[in-house]
Amino acid sequence: MVNFTGIVSGVAMIILTGIFHPVVVKCEYYFGARVWPVFLVFGLAGLGVSVFAENAILSSVAGILGAILLWCIRELKEQEKRVMKGWFSRNPKRKE
């Protein structure tokens, strides 16, 4: 029997990374890095689903999603630094 779990997981990794890169940029622009707890909660939830899912594909994709969401916390902090360096625009209407 052919097993597509690895291929599906790899494609999910690429797609989810591509989705969450602009999400991090937009979140930092509109809310700043203070939204990191949202990423923490959903990241841990994704890892929880991964641990308890019986389907291998669901488990791997949920684990990838959880890990990406936790990585987004670090990227929010890095994005904040990029904005301070002038590499990305700062939202003039956002209150700190």
Side-chain angles (χ1 to χ4, degrees):
M1 181 173 166
V2 180
N3 187 347
F4 290 103
T5 304
I7 293 171
V8 171
S9 298
V11 170
M13 179 71 177
I14 292 168
I15 291 170
L16 291 171
T17 302
I19 289 170
F20 279 98
H21 173 70
V23 167
V24 166
V25 173
K26 292 291 184 188
C27 281
E28 196 288 325
Y29 184 81
Y30 289 108
F31 308 108
R34 68 180 182 262
V35 297
W36 71 266
V38 174
F39 288 97
L40 177 66
V41 168
F42 284 103
L44 292 175
L47 294 179
V49 169
S50 175
V51 169
F52 293 107
E54 293 188 21
N55 181 294
I57 293 176
L58 175 62
S59 177
S60 63
V61 172
I64 290 167
L65 177 61
I68 287 174
L69 287 165
L70 294 176
W71 185 261
C72 285
I73 296 169
R74 179 183 182 279
E75 283 302 310
L76 273 171
K77 305 287 184 183
E78 292 296 319
Q79 182 65 17
E80 197 171 50
K81 292 177 189 174
R82 292 181 204 118
V83 169
M84 296 227 183
K85 291 179 181 179
W87 296 353
F88 285 82
S89 60
R90 183 182 176 283
N91 183 354
K93 296 178 182 178
R94 188 179 80 216
K95 294 184 173 124
E96 295 299 322

